[in-house]
Amino acid sequence: MSRSRLIYACLIITTVVIGLLSRYFAFIPLFIGDILWALMIYFIMRFLFVNRPVKFIVIVSLLFCYAIEFSQLYKAPWINELRHTLFGRLVLGEGFLWSDLLCYTVGVALGILTAGYVNKDKND
């Protein structure tokens, strides 16, 4: 495994842990979890496509996050049942909010800043 992939794997795990903790403590606003979710998606995309340009990663990450959010407008019984499970709630969410799109954009922007430190020796 390359050094970059190892770093992104650690960042993914760290972000997941922080995200789960953010749901545990009531004093942390819920939107922080949405930002962390998008940050995790960004790190996953960087892990999967480690040699692709940042612009590609940003577009794929935002498209994925936005698609998940817009999928919450779809209310078929089978997907609603899935959303009532822990996995479904964490991955698919429960209800569409326009403000979540802003949170996802902020999360990906934080990913860009973090990736800048990870890849400071590398030309992206």
Side-chain angles (χ1 to χ4, degrees):
M1 184 181 297
S2 72
R3 178 184 175 273
S4 291
R5 277 210 165 105
L6 183 60
I7 291 170
Y8 286 118
C10 291
L11 288 170
I12 292 165
I13 292 166
T14 302
T15 305
V16 168
V17 169
I18 294 170
L20 291 172
L21 288 174
S22 78
R23 297 294 188 203
Y24 180 75
F25 296 107
F27 65 88
I28 299 175
L30 288 177
F31 72 87
I32 298 297
D34 295 322
I35 291 171
L36 291 168
W37 187 83
L39 180 62
M40 178 199 66
I41 296 301
Y42 181 84
F43 291 150
I44 289 172
M45 295 304 171
R46 289 298 300 220
F47 178 86
L48 294 174
F49 306 108
V50 73
N51 293 320
R52 298 298 297 259
V54 172
K55 188 177 190 178
F56 173 84
I57 303 299
V58 168
I59 291 169
V60 170
S61 299
L62 287 175
L63 284 175
F64 182 85
C65 291
Y66 292 173
I68 292 292
E69 189 65 25
F70 280 105
S71 78
Q72 294 171 16
L73 296 171
Y74 181 65
K75 299 292 184 185
W78 69 270
I79 200 163
N80 285 340
E81 285 181 34
L82 182 60
R83 287 184 182 121
H84 291 305
T85 66
L86 177 62
F87 174 80
R89 206 169 33 257
L90 292 174
V91 175
L92 299 175
E94 295 182 273
F96 177 84
L97 292 172
W98 286 103
S99 59
D100 286 352
L101 300 177
L102 176 61
C103 290
Y104 300 154
T105 305
V106 170
V108 169
L110 289 173
I112 295 167
L113 293 173
T114 305
Y117 290 109
V118 171
N119 295 317
K120 65 182 170 186
D121 320 328
K122 196 174 161 185
N123 291 330
D124 249 343

